Amino acid sequence: MPLVAPRLRNPDINPCLSEPDASTRCMDKNNYDREKRSTYFLKYKNCRKFWNSVMVKRRQNGVKPPMPTAVERDEMLVVMGKMPY
């Protein structure tokens, strides 16, 4: 297994773990039809965009680490009341 793979599956590093898994399940279920999985890809893209903007703001404010931990992200989502993407 490549060294990057375990990092990508780490919930503290990758905030969008469920989105690619859902996309992969959809691809398997629909015989890799791109039209049927477009909503999953869009959700993943919006998830990455949202958490990237959070990371940029934290860097600008000098907060370490730039990416919130999984626990901090869950708390942020509870405060927001819904998924922002």
Side-chain angles (χ1 to χ4, degrees), residues 3 8 11 13 18-20 24 30-31 36 39 47 65-66 72 75:
L3 294 175
L8 293 176
I13 295 172
S18 62
E19 286 77 7
T24 303
N30 293 307
N31 201 21
K36 294 185 180 179
T39 57
C47 175
E72 289 175 319
E75 291 171 359

Side-chain angles (χ1 to χ4, degrees), residues 15-83:
C16 302
L17 280 177
S18 62
E19 286 77 7
D21 291 343
S23 176
T24 303
R25 281 193 304 273
C26 180
M27 288 189 318
D28 291 341
K29 184 174 141 184
N30 293 307
N31 201 21
Y32 294 84
D33 183 7
R34 288 186 75 86
E35 297 294 323
K36 294 185 180 179
R37 64 181 194 211
S38 63
T39 57
Y40 292 103
F41 281 115
L42 184 60
K43 190 170 182 176
Y44 176 70
K45 183 179 176 181
N46 291 336
C47 175
R48 296 296 301 169
K49 195 180 295 186
F50 172 77
W51 289 112
N52 187 47
S53 68
V54 169
M55 194 167 59
V56 167
K57 288 177 188 172
R58 286 172 62 105
R59 273 195 196 125
Q60 290 172 345
N61 294 333
V63 178
K64 298 277 183 169
M67 178 59 73
T69 63
V71 173
E72 289 175 319
R73 288 192 307 265
D74 289 341
E75 291 171 359
M76 291 170 68
L77 292 174
V78 167
V79 169
M80 288 181 200
K82 63 181 178 91
M83 296 290 263

